[in-house]
Amino acid sequence: MEYFQNQVYIIKVNVRNEAELLKYISHVRLDSYLPNETVAKQFAVYKRNIRLCKKFYPKLHYFEIIFRNSIDSVLTEYVNGADWITVIPFDKDSLHKINEVKNRLLKQNKTITHDRIISELTLGFWTTLFSKRYNQYKFQSILVKKVFTDCPKDQRNIKNIQIRVNEIRELRNRVCHYENIIRYLDIKDKYNNIQTCISWISIKLAKIIR
């Protein structure tokens, strides 16, 4: 994938433009991309980082939608068709996130429905279901088994799943804020991890959206 190559195209930055960049973007931010270099070179890397972030958006979007909908389907089956949001024994943090969504919907004068709550919950909420805090709950083992149905059995364990989905969550947060991801030496591996996790949920779907 060419956007993982280390090519940096330097743009011309005159004295006036340089002052403007430093005023509104800041020396601290630009310096974090390329320390002890000219503003022109720093800004070139800064812009390249933005382009790189954009390349991740489609894949991250697919993963988040597929991941949460798969969890929703599995948990609905787990509670025999009931609204699992009101049945699963969530901890205080997860309950707080659910209530935040409900309050936001009310403020927007929208009817609180299961589907709306599902679509509003953050990726952090969904990855938390695979965290250590829920290791003792039966529903977590069910999620590992039935959400990642196409995952090779020797890799389909909670520890491996935790690591992989948390890496995607952390990357997603950085990408969505256009933070520095060029610094990652394994950036291509991180991209491939998203595709791998999608294929573990559904190999057929992974091929469709490749």
Side-chain angles (χ1 to χ4, degrees):
M1 288 172 246
E2 63 181 50
Y3 48 86
F4 289 121
Q5 296 174 357
N6 295 318
Q7 298 168 324
V8 177
Y9 301 96
I10 308 303
I11 63 169
K12 292 182 178 179
V13 176
N14 58 37
V15 175
R16 182 178 298 177
N17 289 342
E18 180 175 317
E20 203 75 358
L21 287 171
L22 293 177
K23 178 180 179 181
Y24 290 105
I25 297 180
S26 86
H27 207 317
V28 173
R29 176 173 285 272
L30 291 176
D31 217 36
S32 69
Y33 287 86
L34 203 62
N36 305 315
E37 276 292 354
T38 65
V39 173
K41 289 182 179 180
Q42 291 176 332
F43 188 56
V45 176
Y46 180 74
K47 291 184 70 176
R48 180 174 176 268
N49 186 74
I50 292 175
R51 292 195 297 271
L52 180 59
C53 286
K54 288 180 178 178
K55 295 294 183 181
F56 275 86
Y57 267 84
K59 195 68 71 175
L60 287 168
H61 166 78
Y62 281 128
F63 171 77
E64 188 162 356
I65 295 295
I66 295 165
F67 185 53
R68 77 184 188 204
N69 287 346
S70 297
I71 293 173
D72 180 37
S73 178
V74 170
L75 290 182
T76 298
E77 180 183 352
Y78 175 68
V79 297
N80 298 314
D83 185 355
W84 57 264
I85 292 176
T86 64
V87 177
I88 298 295
F90 294 115
D91 63 11
K92 290 183 178 180
D93 182 61
S94 295
L95 285 172
H96 177 68
K97 290 178 180 178
I98 292 171
N99 288 328
E100 278 187 327
V101 170
K102 290 180 178 179
N103 290 333
R104 186 162 61 247
L105 290 171
L106 288 174
K107 288 180 180 179
Q108 296 171 349
N109 294 317
K110 294 181 179 178
T111 303
I112 297 176
T113 65
H114 178 85
D115 289 341
R116 279 181 173 155
I117 293 175
I118 297 304
S119 66
E120 292 281 340
L121 286 168
T122 65
L123 181 58
F125 172 86
W126 301 110
T127 57
T128 294
L129 299 180
F130 295 83
S131 67
K132 291 180 179 179
R133 70 177 72 172
Y134 289 119
N135 279 174
Q136 303 304 314
Y137 291 83
K138 182 181 178 180
F139 76 82
Q140 188 184 79
S141 60
I142 297 295
L143 288 176
V144 171
K145 181 179 179 180
K146 294 194 174 183
V147 169
F148 296 95
T149 54
D150 288 339
C151 176
K153 289 185 178 180
D154 62 334
Q155 298 186 64
R156 196 171 62 201
N157 59 77
I158 186 58
K159 185 175 181 180
N160 187 35
I161 298 299
Q162 281 178 355
I163 292 172
R164 287 187 175 261
V165 298
N166 277 327
E167 179 178 293
I168 294 175
R169 176 187 58 78
E170 292 172 0
L171 178 65
R172 186 258 186 201
N173 290 342
R174 296 194 68 84
V175 166
C176 287
H177 291 94
Y178 291 97
E179 294 183 16
N180 190 343
I181 63 171
I182 282 182
R183 66 183 178 87
Y184 292 130
L185 298 178
D186 61 343
I187 191 64
K188 188 172 182 178
D189 291 336
K190 290 183 183 297
Y191 183 90
N192 290 335
N193 178 49
I194 305 171
Q195 181 68 18
T196 295
C197 286
I198 292 174
S199 71
W200 284 358
I201 295 172
S202 171
I203 292 176
K204 290 182 179 178
L205 186 57
K207 292 178 179 178
I208 294 173
I209 64 175
R210 182 178 293 277

